[in-house]
Amino acid sequence: MPQDGYDFVVVSNRLPVDRIVDEDGGSTWRRSPGGLVSALAPVMAQRDGAWVGWHGAPDEDLEPFYHDVFHLVPVSLSELEVRRYYEGFSNATLWPLYHDVIASPEFHRTWWYAYRRVNERFARHAAETAAAGATVWVQDYQLQLVPRMLRRLRPDVTIGFFNHIPFPPTEIFSQLPWRRAVLEGLTGADLIGFQRPGDAQNFQRCVRRYLGVQFTKGSAEFSESTADGEQTSWTVSAGSYPISIDVESIKELASDPSVQARAREIREELGNPETIYLGVDRLDYTKGIRHRIKAYGELLNDGKLSVADSVLIQVASPSRERVDSYRQLRELVEGMVGRINGQHDTISHTAIRYLHHGYPFEEMVALYLAADVMLVTALRDGMNLVAKEYVAARRDGSGALVLSEFTGAAEQLKHAILVNPHDIDGLKDAMLRARDLPRAEARKRMAAMRWQVLTHDVVDWSRRFLDDLADHAAYHPSIPGPAAGSGPGSASGSGDDAAAGNEGSGTDRG
């Protein structure tokens, strides 16, 4: 690490690398796939950057190390913290709450205490890593307390925060016992980015209601007193910065002869059906997997589809399998698939090819090329990048996208066939319409969607956010340093949200 720290620091729950263990038990690191890592790698290289995050193994301490263009600063988590901070508060409290309570969130004080403690640790690592006047970009809902904690530790840095998932309306957010503490944490940032304008508006309304601060044209003034009576103040802006994908890597794979050959092979292995429907999701209750399977099964029962001429491929990669709601979802989905296949399969044809494991990205692009209709039926989704990946892969302009109106992607991909996935009859009609789209109309729709995706990729997303954050840095006020007692541990909220909260079911799964 440079003596004076790093000028650009990313803080996220996970580091941008995965550990690979070979047959002899040796381990190496490999860059993680995904648009965020691809977008920030060149920024890291250009701006002398560091990345703060958990390396994925509990109860293990690692020293900072270099990999590829990244200087990596591991944050250690215990097994108990993984259960309470990550599986508990992040994914059994915040995730369902922020996704319109599709599943019931659980509120446990021990989870909250762990979340606050881990956020403080991330903030301290970021503070120790950042150079004077650095830019720090905090990522996602697992670290919502970090901005204010970091501001108290390092008032000289410029802080951005991006929320990758939806932000709920006031009526839903109000259920969170620690709502003030979360809002105070977020408003420590100079710039807060959301996927959709509606998410930014929800956040601003919550701030007005619970913190008593009014946003005007997307900005608001905040201040607080230190223990020695000094007054610190800063401006917070909140707006929409819809994330996108690494277009170039998908275009390159979609042009690869071996990937194109694999796409043809997939169709042949399925018996060259007239229509391949495709769903690609994490196995998550927000993705509407059961709704699309139910619709597909009813189309088979109605005789409007048959296993001889159509097939549904459902890739459902494992996700959060130690969380109860996810285990229950897997049982429900696999039960539905079994019943439909048992009723409709023949010796040579299967109704639904259900694949509960992950795939290399090359195989995913081959599936995108093989599929005639992409089904994205999320009940609530901040963006949904699978929809954009499918569009980017369709180089020949063919294919159709059935897209839930409850995704962030629906605001950009307006030429998709938009659906309310709760309306099973409407979803069935959309699936048939996608199959039967006239060739000219299908190509016109796909061309419009491809233009949007190709001209607004993940690099454009990161550039727009960081450019706006740099505008804040240019006018960053001189702020006194933190006073005793004003450090991260004090960002626990006040009033109705201090200390103890609702115990939910009365038990702590941690």
Side-chain angles (χ1 to χ4, degrees), residues 213-231:
V213 178
Q214 176 74 44
F215 278 80
T216 302
K217 295 183 178 180
S219 296
E221 298 297 320
F222 285 81
S223 64
E224 64 181 12
S225 298
T226 63
D228 59 2
E230 294 280 357
Q231 191 77 6

Side-chain angles (χ1 to χ4, degrees), residues 457-506:
D457 64 0
V458 73
V459 175
D460 175 68
W461 165 78
S462 65
R463 183 187 302 116
R464 286 188 297 107
F465 185 93
L466 291 174
D467 283 351
D468 286 353
L469 187 56
D471 290 341
H472 274 272
Y475 298 100
H476 205 291
S478 176
I479 303 173
S486 65
S490 65
S492 57
S494 57
D496 63 338
D497 301 297
N502 182 2
E503 270 295 333
S505 64

Side-chain angles (χ1 to χ4, degrees), residues 124-363:
R124 290 193 181 280
H125 277 72
E128 294 166 359
T129 303
T135 295
V136 181
W137 194 2
V138 185
Q139 305 288 331
D140 223 0
Y141 65 103
Q142 301 96 341
L143 302 175
Q144 293 176 108
L145 306 184
V146 168
R148 183 70 69 101
M149 292 174 169
L150 179 59
R151 178 171 292 278
R152 288 168 175 161
L153 289 168
R154 292 289 306 275
D156 60 295
V157 302
T158 302
I159 304 168
F161 182 93
F162 188 78
N163 197 63
H164 291 258
I165 67 174
F167 196 89
T170 306
E171 294 76 15
I172 291 178
F173 186 75
S174 64
Q175 297 178 40
L176 185 65
W178 309 280
R179 58 203 182 193
R180 281 179 55 88
V182 168
L183 294 174
E184 288 173 352
L186 288 169
T187 53
D190 295 286
L191 176 62
I192 308 170
F194 297 92
Q195 299 282 24
R196 304 187 300 179
D199 297 321
Q201 292 163 9
N202 286 343
F203 169 75
Q204 292 173 25
R205 293 188 187 105
C206 288
V207 169
R208 182 174 67 245
R209 178 168 179 178
Y210 295 112
L211 300 186
V213 178
Q214 176 74 44
F215 278 80
T216 302
K217 295 183 178 180
S219 296
E221 298 297 320
F222 285 81
S223 64
E224 64 181 12
S225 298
T226 63
D228 59 2
E230 294 280 357
Q231 191 77 6
T232 67
S233 61
W234 64 98
T235 301
V236 178
S237 295
S240 172
Y241 297 84
I243 198 170
S244 195
I245 58 172
D246 182 3
V247 167
E248 291 306 316
S249 66
I250 295 177
K251 288 171 59 180
E252 182 178 347
L253 285 171
S255 302
D256 188 324
S258 65
V259 175
Q260 295 173 353
R262 175 59 185 148
R264 293 190 293 271
E265 184 180 24
I266 289 171
R267 295 194 71 95
E268 291 170 2
E269 290 172 352
L270 295 170
N272 287 311
E274 293 179 13
T275 308
I276 296 178
Y277 292 92
L278 175 64
V280 174
D281 312 88
R282 284 187 308 104
L283 188 57
D284 190 293
Y285 50 77
T286 65
K287 301 300 183 180
I289 298 172
R290 290 191 301 151
H291 296 65
R292 86 180 60 129
I293 290 175
K294 178 177 177 61
Y296 191 78
E298 289 190 7
L299 287 171
L300 291 173
N301 290 335
D302 297 343
K304 295 180 179 178
L305 293 177
S306 73
V307 294
D309 57 31
S310 68
V311 63
L312 169 61
I313 302 174
Q314 177 59 59
V315 178
S317 58
S319 176
R320 301 168 188 165
E321 295 195 302
R322 300 202 304 184
V323 178
D324 287 342
S325 56
Y326 288 78
R327 289 197 295 264
Q328 295 167 8
L329 175 65
R330 178 178 178 180
E331 292 175 3
L332 289 171
V333 168
E334 292 179 353
M336 292 178 70
V337 171
R339 286 191 294 273
I340 292 171
N341 284 347
Q343 182 178 356
H344 294 282
D345 281 7
T346 66
I347 296 297
S348 55
H349 298 95
T350 296
I352 301 173
R353 295 292 181 96
Y354 175 74
L355 308 168
H356 182 59
H357 49 85
Y359 283 97
F361 196 56
E362 293 83 353
E363 182 76 356

Side-chain angles (χ1 to χ4, degrees), residues 429-440:
D429 290 342
M431 293 167 67
L432 294 177
R433 182 184 175 198
R435 179 196 64 178
D436 298 333
L437 271 182
R439 182 182 179 88

